[in-house]
Amino acid sequence: MSTDARGRHVRDPRHPLVSLLLRGLATALVAVLVVGVTAGAVLMRQLDGNITSVDISDQLGDDRPEEAEESVDSLTILLIGSDTRDLADAEEFGGNGASPGLSDTTIVLHLSAERDRAQLISIPRDSMVQVPDCILEDGSVAPGGFKQFNSAFATGGAACVQRTIEQTTGVVPDHYAVVNFDGFRAIVDALGGVEVCTVEPIDDPVSGLVLPAGTSTVAGDQALAYVRARKIGNGSDIDRIGRQQAFLSSMVQEVTSTGLLARPDRLIGVLDAGTKSLTTDPGLDSVTALAGIARSVQGLPTEDIVFLTIPTVPWSENENRVVWTPEADLVWEAVRNDAPLPGQEPPPAEPSPAPSPDPLTVSPDAVTVDVANAGGPGGVAGEAAADLRTQGFVVGAVTNGTEDITGVRVLVPAGQDEAALTVAAAFPGAEVVRDDTVATLTVLLGADAPRVVEVPNRLGTEPLPQRAAPQGATPSIDVRAADEDICA
């Protein structure tokens, strides 16, 4: 036992009761954030003593990335779990009791600045990443390298995990929090169990998990086995993360139900279990701090609480390990900039022709137009030229432009204003600019340029081809909303 700067007793982060963190470690924090605001002042003071505080700020180094201006008012909490299995019942969950203490689960919880989105991003433990040099408690430095992600916890505890997150993603967590095995079981029991859904019956002798096909309510060891067991499904960590996210979705639905809020006995049990299971940094070590966050997200619809697993593919050197795909960069960029995750919002609808303020007076076959790629994906100018020809336009030069723009710009030489309206009708949202330096109407296609649409006075009847989304467009990444049916 040691003390922090305020003289408060803190547990050593390597102590088994702190480092033995369960697979569903986000559960306690979700419970406290959602219902903590309802706790009375006296109860909050009593609960404050439950939370363990460990300050890791001195181990985070001076080479931390700068936060994006857009994310100043957002809140990011790093949730870390350990797969150390030296508890008495370790064998029940597939452990051999010999693990050095690797991070079994890491979840980045991001609350938007406007508190209108909550994003929980799971990082597979088997990811191969560049772990940085880590500062240990005694001030020495452990060398980094290209290693399995969960080795960071074994190397330098929570501080090394946070340094790895910061150096590999550019995301700077505001806080960290961990939850232990006993806390998880107590929270689920205080809720009266959590409903889960399985496609096939499960009878796993390793974890002791026994469930029929369909929906079941699990509690205690069965709940713990459900989120931790690896010998069911396809046995992969990705599959286990999926079960965990489905479990947390179900739990969010249970926690936010009016039934819980109307039952003070259950509510207090959840809060007591949640705070007892938390180890946090000093900035998050009181129910007052947690209740402040709870108030900021009060009323957040469950459909705006989403879960995502970082996209991966098998590592070429070892199929039992994974590496992040380029789409992972888009996820971390969204977190850094406090933006919706790719896939969190529905893709934009296909553009439709904008009504022209005046009837088009120039037929497409009377218009000659040059088309230039000005920052769009490769091939976009050729595709646009073909779609214009289909409608009767006379296409001149198809080239690469000398500047990069966003959207579409129509350059109009003197005397061709009416013809320009016909061209602009083919590109919704196009900017029409007078330019006496060009001899021919010229279309510049930049980043995010819309596809060609039919103009009202087009010629011919051949339909425009169905074009794929531009290569520069943000791909959709699967996310799971907390309000999804648990059997989905």
Side-chain angles (χ1 to χ4, degrees):
M1 186 79 71
S2 60
T3 59
D4 64 12
R6 296 169 295 175
R8 175 177 172 175
H9 288 294
V10 297
R11 280 199 204 91
D12 187 318
R14 294 168 298 181
H15 190 285
L17 290 182
V18 177
S19 62
L20 297 179
L21 312 174
L22 55 122
R23 183 71 179 173
L25 59 90
T27 304
L29 193 57
V30 170
V32 173
L33 292 182
V34 174
V35 301
V37 70
T38 64
V42 174
L43 175 59
M44 287 171 64
R45 286 195 296 271
Q46 293 174 341
L47 296 175
D48 274 350
N50 289 345
I51 304 174
T52 298
S53 173
V54 178
D55 190 350
I56 62 172
S57 57
D58 289 342
Q59 296 175 251
L60 298 179
D62 298 324
D63 55 343
R64 304 176 69 186
E66 294 184 5
E67 291 189 73
E69 183 176 343
E70 295 87 343
S71 63
V72 170
D73 295 325
S74 63
L75 187 68
T76 303
I77 302 174
L78 176 62
L79 305 170
I80 307 169
S82 165
D83 69 356
T84 303
R85 296 181 177 92
D86 53 1
L87 292 177
D89 55 1
E91 295 296 333
E92 295 182 14
F93 304 105
N96 56 18
S99 171
L102 307 178
S103 54
D104 189 42
T105 291
T106 301
I107 296 175
V108 175
L109 167 62
H110 181 78
L111 303 177
S112 65
E114 300 297 327
R115 299 300 189 265
D116 56 355
R117 295 187 309 274
Q119 303 155 337
L120 291 97
I121 304 163
S122 297
I123 301 176
R125 54 175 286 174
D126 297 333
S127 301
M128 298 299 297
V129 299
Q130 186 65 37
V131 176
D133 295 346
C134 286
I135 304 170
L136 305 183
E137 288 184 334
D138 61 5
S140 62
V141 177
F146 190 66
K147 305 176 181 179
Q148 195 168 321
F149 180 84
N150 65 343
S151 68
F153 191 81
T155 298
C160 192
V161 177
Q162 181 158 335
R163 271 186 60 78
T164 301
I165 289 290
E166 293 184 353
Q167 298 300 318
T168 57
T169 72
V171 172
V172 181
D174 299 289
H175 303 285
Y176 82 91
V178 296
V179 182
N180 61 47
F181 277 119
D182 291 336
F184 172 80
R185 284 183 279 215
I187 292 166
V188 175
D189 288 347
L191 285 172
V194 172
E195 195 172 63
V196 298
C197 182
T198 60
V199 177
E200 299 177 347
I202 296 175
D203 187 355
D204 179 26
V206 177
S207 67
L209 182 63
V210 179
L211 293 174
T215 58
S216 303
T217 298
V218 296
D221 289 345
Q222 286 288 287
L224 189 57
Y226 179 82
V227 296
R228 289 189 56 84
R230 294 194 70 165
K231 303 299 183 181
I232 61 178
N234 62 20
S236 71
D237 190 46
I238 303 297
D239 190 54
R240 182 166 58 162
I241 287 175
R243 288 198 305 277
Q244 179 194 29
Q245 292 175 348
F247 187 93
L248 292 177
S249 296
S250 184
M251 179 154 191
V252 168
Q253 294 173 36
E254 176 67 23
V255 168
T256 56
S257 69
T258 56
L260 174 63
L261 298 179
R263 288 282 305 276
D265 56 331
R266 293 178 63 196
L267 178 61
I268 292 171
V270 170
L271 288 170
D272 187 50
T275 52
K276 281 181 178 177
S277 66
L278 281 178
T279 297
T280 74
D281 60 275
L284 202 65
D285 66 352
S286 71
V287 176
T288 300
L290 293 171
I293 300 174
R295 280 189 291 270
S296 74
V297 297
Q298 195 171 22
L300 178 66
T302 53
E303 63 264 25
D304 293 324
I305 303 172
V306 299
F307 301 88
L308 166 71
T309 303
I310 282 296
T312 62
V313 293
W315 185 32
S316 60
E317 301 295 321
N318 184 340
E319 64 180 9
N320 294 317
R321 303 289 179 262
V322 296
V323 292
W324 299 351
T325 68
E327 285 75 21
D329 294 336
L330 300 175
V331 174
W332 299 126
E333 181 182 10
V335 174
R336 291 194 302 269
N337 296 324
D338 194 30
L341 296 171
Q344 190 172 355
E345 292 186 343
E350 286 295 319
S352 57
S356 184
D358 298 304
L360 301 178
T361 60
V362 180
S363 176
D365 62 342
V367 179
T368 298
V369 57
D370 293 344
V371 183
N373 187 335
V380 67
E383 290 180 352
D387 293 349
L388 290 172
R389 291 192 188 99
T390 297
Q391 301 185 72
F393 288 91
V394 178
V395 178
V398 180
T399 62
N400 286 320
T402 58
E403 61 176 324
D404 290 344
I405 66 171
T406 299
V408 178
R409 187 178 302 164
V410 180
L411 305 182
V412 187
Q416 298 196 42
D417 292 344
E418 292 298 313
L421 293 178
T422 301
V423 174
F427 299 94
E431 176 187 13
V432 179
V433 179
R434 179 67 178 271
D435 190 338
D436 293 334
T437 66
V438 296
T440 305
L441 275 166
T442 302
V443 175
L444 302 181
L445 301 173
D448 300 323
R451 297 300 190 189
V452 172
V453 301
E454 292 188 345
V455 298
N457 60 344
R458 65 158 292 175
L459 302 179
T461 59
E462 181 183 349
L464 296 181
Q466 295 294 317
R467 302 288 188 189
Q471 293 179 9
T474 301
S476 177
I477 297 175
D478 288 339
V479 298
R480 180 187 182 94
D483 66 337
E484 273 191 40
D485 188 310
I486 60 171
C487 292

